[in-house]
Amino acid sequence: MCKKCYISTPIYYASGKVQIGNSYTTVACDAFARFNRLMGRTTFYLTGMDEHGQKIEEASKKANMTPQELVDQVASDTKKLWQTMGIDYDYFIRTTDKNHEEVVAKIFERLLANDDIYLGSYSGHYCVSCESFFTKTQLGENDTCPDCGKPTKLVSEESYFLRLKKYASRLLQYINEHEDFIVPATRRNEVISFIESGLEDLCVSRTSFSWGIKVPSNPKHVIYVWIDALFNYLTALGYGSSDDKLYQEFWLNNDHVYHVVGKDILRFHAIYWPIMLMALDIPIKFKLYVHGWILTKDGKMSKSKGNAVYPMDLINRYGVDALRYYLTKELPLGNDGLFSYERFILRYNAELVNDLGNLVSRTLSMVNKYFDGQIPCAKVKTSYDLSLEQVATDAIQKTIQCFEEFRLQDGISETWQLVRRANKYIDETAPWILAKDEATKDALASVLYHLVESLRIIAVLVSPYLISTSKKILFAIDKEKANYRLDQLAFGEDFSQAKVNKIDNLFQRLDLEKELAYYESIKPQTPTIQEEIQSTINMEDFSKVVLKVGEIVKCEKHPNADKLLVSQIKIGTQTRQIVSGIANYYKPEELIGKKVVVVANLAKAKIRGVESEGMILCASNNDQLEVLEIKNLPSGAIIK
Ligand code: MSP
């Protein structure tokens, strides 16, 4: 059995916040890495940030930051998010790391010296968002990007090119000889036909912006971000540096190297990356697992469409395990999955609350009730017991097999065969009837032993994705200190002397209607005034707005909406009621006594059933919000 394993996610663009769609690769790879560790393999799990390129330069301008400030901020936020999500990576690479930059610059020069890269001139359509060039025939309507639909830019400049044509037939031969190089086969076929349709040499440098690694011998050129980024898989292991021990161990002398990527970046990993490795005489050690997208009912998640869902929003409401479970279970290898709140809640209630949560709580309560918490042993075995043992043995073997092939969704289904069978076994064996008669005490003990032992097996099988749930189950059956190995897992643990421990319910049932009503209430409002009115206004328009100082004298939560607060505000001699969407940022008591800026002549409105007369002005930036405060002037003062 192979004892080593190297797993990598793509490195994330440091231009924005991770949403649940693109968190998938990292969650899935984390589950895969945990699985491999449980199989006894020394595992190196790499993730990180893609921090160069025009997209980042432009995002930093918008955010009024330097590119370095922006990427530092995004890298720090992303690391915190991964920590919260239980992502147990071994290294977090950033392409602005000095070592990475130096090695990439050297590699570029080497490819240039070997004539695998040459200087030419480029004219073509470039999509800044995807950092990709497209030929005229690939473009969408009005020269839009075929991948993301945004407008492309016509770029014409002196550029370096990587010789792809030269390596096309060697690459085809490699793919044909290594059937499992690209999995699933549909993606492999896609790559084969792309190569067969003819490869053009790839433009690998840009001169129209500066945020990137400069070509040392011609520094007005910045190395194409994809060339820079792909080498992260090697620089993270110390390739090209004075200490390349990890490169030797996890790349050169390892047959279990996996790159896991979404289908949108297949071409880069299946064509450009292996060709560069061939040009550099570095063995192609990796296998490519290609997954689909998590879609919403209106397509791919994106901030601009307003349909992005962020991991922390779900985690704060339902916990990390619920999100990890959903993502891992939702996406079959190769195909797309769907996200909707309804689907999330239904899956949560059916699979986590009903199936797993119930099995655990029923088992523990029966051990408490019938054996005073002492886990019994099985002296006799019925055909039901033997059949449950068989299901458990099959579940172990089949779950392992699926996880080995990165079929995580199928692996979870195999484990759930045991979860469901164990629930059915309770109904079939009816322990509450066995408990009525002393003569069936041994049979009852056997049933409960089989249930507790099933829980132990389930806890180990789910541990790659349900991290804290697994720990809680093992704690409940007094096995939290055991160091289980998946490849040694078998039915028949000895529980003598062990007592069950009390735990809270693993998952709370969710009220679908209530949850959906909540999401309806926080749906982004129709565009704000600022977004809607792009044109300028004149003084006359502005003077129509009456702004006054108001003092908040009372404030409470809105009865029908979690995001809203209802304030009573003294403006001179009168008191007004104003509803504002600031409950995520202030507790009601924090606002009392504050003197704020109020739009005093706004038409009255009913906001989710509560009357509001005016508006409190606030400043906001991404996730922060602050009400504007006046220090010295009294309430009622006019602001102009
Ligand atoms: N920076 C490049 C990768 C360079 S690797 C040398 C990149 N970054 S990304 O942030 O856009 O994407 C990171 C990962 O998220 C990719 O695997 C991508 O396919 C995946 N996903 C982005 N949106 C997704 C969904 N909606 N659903 C599932 N995965 C998706 O690409």
Side-chain angles (χ1 to χ4, degrees):
M1 188 191 69
C2 164
K3 285 279 169 217
K4 268 178 295 182
C5 173
Y6 177 35
I7 299 163
S8 67
T9 70
I11 46 174
Y12 284 71
Y13 283 126
S15 50
K17 235 165 105 175
V18 173
Q19 30 90 346
I20 61 160
N22 55 12
S23 75
Y24 171 77
T25 324
T26 311
V27 170
C29 284
D30 182 67
F32 190 49
R34 284 172 187 267
F35 162 78
N36 276 286
R37 290 187 200 113
L38 267 184
M39 293 292 288
R41 296 171 189 144
T42 310
T43 299
F44 191 93
Y45 173 24
L46 173 72
T47 189
M49 301 288 347
D50 192 349
E51 301 189 336
H52 289 130
Q54 191 170 8
K55 186 158 151 171
I56 296 194
E57 192 174 277
E58 291 190 353
S60 74
K61 277 187 203 141
K62 272 195 203 143
N64 222 354
M65 289 166 135
T66 64
Q68 190 63 54
E69 281 167 352
L70 175 76
V71 298
D72 286 349
Q73 179 63 54
V74 177
S76 145
D77 292 348
T78 309
K79 275 185 177 176
K80 275 188 219 141
L81 175 69
W82 293 153
Q83 194 180 7
T84 309
M85 292 182 80
I87 307 297
D88 191 9
Y89 54 76
D90 292 281
Y91 191 61
F92 187 96
I93 187 159
R94 299 179 54 187
T95 53
T96 53
D97 290 343
K98 275 281 141 298
N99 167 62
H100 173 84
E101 289 185 343
E102 279 166 22
V103 174
V104 170
K106 270 194 228 153
I107 287 171
F108 195 95
E109 288 295 335
R110 211 168 112 201
L111 290 168
L112 195 57
N114 291 346
D115 193 38
D116 282 314
I117 284 181
Y118 61 91
L119 190 61
S121 111
Y122 185 83
S123 169
H125 292 265
Y126 189 71
C127 172
V128 175
S129 187
C130 299
E131 305 270 18
S132 272
F133 284 103
F134 295 98
T135 58
K136 189 78 187 152
T137 51
Q138 288 174 314
L139 294 174
E141 223 175 278
N142 298 327
D143 293 346
T144 48
C145 167
D147 284 350
C148 72
K150 291 188 188 151
T152 54
K153 282 185 183 175
L154 191 60
V155 175
S156 183
E157 57 187 38
E158 176 191 90
S159 291
Y160 287 96
F161 286 84
L162 174 70
R163 294 194 192 279
L164 296 187
K165 270 187 272 184
K166 174 177 163 190
Y167 290 95
S169 60
R170 228 174 108 184
L171 179 60
L172 258 185
Q173 189 186 345
Y174 183 86
I175 297 174
N176 284 327
E177 283 169 3
H178 298 81
E179 215 182 322
D180 63 352
F181 171 49
I182 302 165
V183 178
T186 43
R187 299 293 170 206
R188 178 174 182 266
N189 296 338
E190 210 178 294
V191 172
I192 293 176
S193 34
F194 190 86
I195 304 173
E196 283 174 344
S197 71
L199 292 184
E200 290 301 321
D201 289 350
L202 177 72
C203 172
V204 290
S205 78
R206 303 288 313 279
T207 51
S208 54
F209 65 92
S210 61
W211 182 243
I213 305 175
K214 307 253 183 310
V215 174
S217 56
N218 191 356
K220 71 172 196 268
H221 286 263
V222 165
I223 298 173
Y224 178 38
V225 66
W226 268 100
I227 302 298
D228 166 356
L230 284 162
F231 277 100
N232 90 88
Y233 301 127
L234 293 185
T235 56
L237 297 178
Y239 171 83
S241 76
S242 54
D243 179 7
D244 69 355
K245 228 173 50 241
L246 290 173
Y247 168 67
Q248 302 280 340
E249 184 182 351
F250 286 101
W251 190 276
L252 286 186
N253 299 305
N254 176 14
D255 290 325
H256 290 252
V257 179
Y258 305 101
H259 293 332
V260 181
V261 300
K263 62 182 182 183
D264 48 324
I265 55 176
L266 171 63
R267 214 177 349 134
F268 302 94
H269 286 83
I271 298 176
Y272 309 156
W273 181 222
I275 284 184
M276 284 194 289
L277 294 173
M278 282 175 179
L280 291 163
D281 267 335
I282 298 173
I284 300 168
K285 300 293 295 200
F286 69 92
K287 175 168 173 171
L288 201 56
Y289 282 126
V290 189
H291 64 76
W293 284 341
I294 299 261
L295 299 172
T296 63
K297 63 177 182 350
D298 42 15
K300 202 174 176 221
M301 268 181 211
S302 86
K303 199 172 151 192
S304 49
K305 276 194 206 158
N307 63 358
V309 177
Y310 296 100
M312 283 317 293
D313 295 338
L314 292 169
I315 291 171
N316 288 336
R317 213 164 163 82
Y318 310 112
V320 172
D321 276 12
L323 176 59
R324 287 180 65 108
Y325 180 79
Y326 186 84
L327 291 174
T328 324
K329 183 68 202 293
E330 184 58 33
L331 221 59
L333 181 60
N335 294 328
D336 293 336
L338 201 66
F339 177 84
S340 72
Y341 291 110
E342 183 173 4
R343 214 171 151 85
F344 181 93
I345 292 154
L346 289 175
R347 194 185 276 296
Y348 178 97
N349 277 345
E351 291 158 33
L352 296 179
V353 180
N354 284 3
D355 292 344
L356 183 57
N358 268 349
L359 176 65
V360 173
S361 67
R362 288 165 96 189
T363 304
L364 296 178
S365 79
M366 288 191 289
V367 175
N368 275 321
K369 188 165 170 193
Y370 303 132
F371 293 92
D372 205 18
Q374 186 74 46
I375 301 172
C377 50
K379 289 188 203 140
V380 290
K381 276 186 193 177
T382 64
S383 60
Y384 289 126
D385 304 341
L386 292 172
S387 129
L388 183 66
E389 278 186 38
Q390 189 54 52
V391 174
T393 306
D394 290 349
I396 297 170
Q397 187 243 321
K398 289 182 181 163
T399 304
I400 292 179
Q401 194 183 337
C402 293
F403 268 73
E404 291 284 23
E405 294 163 12
F406 202 78
R407 289 187 295 117
L408 310 185
Q409 187 198 42
D410 293 342
I412 299 178
S413 300
E414 294 299 346
T415 303
W416 249 247
Q417 296 287 342
L418 173 59
V419 176
R420 295 203 174 112
R421 183 69 188 86
N423 269 322
K424 196 162 159 230
Y425 167 86
I426 299 180
D427 301 333
E428 287 167 349
T429 54
W432 47 93
I433 295 176
L434 298 177
K436 285 188 182 148
D437 189 345
E438 199 49 37
T440 48
K441 188 90 187 178
D442 281 350
L444 176 66
S446 181
V447 168
L448 288 173
Y449 168 82
H450 277 77
L451 285 171
V452 172
E453 175 56 348
S454 299
L455 289 189
R456 183 186 71 94
I457 288 168
I458 291 164
V460 180
L461 293 177
V462 302
S463 64
Y465 46 98
L466 288 176
I467 310 165
S468 67
T469 303
S470 161
K471 287 189 186 135
K472 285 184 205 161
I473 299 174
L474 289 175
F475 167 76
I477 58 172
D478 207 25
K479 289 288 179 188
E480 80 275 22
K481 294 207 178 75
N483 253 336
Y484 291 115
R485 281 266 300 265
L486 206 43
D487 52 336
Q488 293 161 2
L489 191 65
F491 200 95
E493 181 85 345
D494 181 5
F495 284 96
S496 52
Q497 311 302 323
K499 284 195 93 173
V500 293
N501 291 309
K502 196 173 158 22
I503 52 165
D504 291 336
N505 275 349
L506 291 177
F507 304 99
Q508 303 299 329
R509 172 170 303 285
L510 298 171
D511 180 330
L512 178 64
E513 277 185 18
K514 227 164 120 189
E515 292 304 304
L516 295 182
Y518 166 75
Y519 289 110
E520 195 53 39
S521 79
I522 60 163
K523 235 191 188 160
Q525 303 297 312
T526 41
T528 60
I529 296 169
Q530 291 90 324
E531 282 162 346
E532 223 161 43
I533 305 168
Q534 294 293 323
S535 56
T536 53
I537 57 167
N538 57 33
M539 202 53 205
E540 196 192 338
D541 292 331
F542 180 68
S543 61
K544 286 182 188 156
V545 183
V546 178
L547 299 174
K548 287 189 177 176
V549 178
E551 183 178 344
I552 304 183
V553 288
K554 195 172 161 205
C555 182
E556 51 200 15
K557 290 189 174 158
H558 190 293
N560 311 321
D562 291 353
K563 277 194 142 184
L564 302 177
L565 293 181
V566 184
S567 310
Q568 305 301 324
I569 303 187
K570 196 170 144 280
I571 306 173
T573 51
Q574 42 161 294
T575 301
R576 297 261 192 100
Q577 173 165 287
I578 296 182
V579 176
S580 350
I582 54 178
N584 282 350
Y585 309 92
Y586 290 96
K587 294 200 184 91
E589 61 272 24
E590 287 171 351
L591 288 169
I592 295 171
K594 278 198 196 301
K595 279 190 281 178
V596 294
V597 178
V598 171
V599 181
N601 61 337
L602 200 65
K604 269 191 196 171
K606 254 201 176 153
I607 303 184
R608 294 191 56 89
V610 174
E611 205 141 277
S612 180
E613 204 183 344
M615 180 169 127
I616 301 177
L617 291 193
C618 301
S620 72
N621 177 27
N622 298 330
D623 289 334
Q624 297 169 303
L625 179 142
E626 234 178 284
V627 295
L628 300 187
E629 280 189 75
I630 301 289
K631 289 249 155 49
N632 300 319
L633 289 179
S635 86
I638 299 207
I639 299 164
K640 347 185 210 182

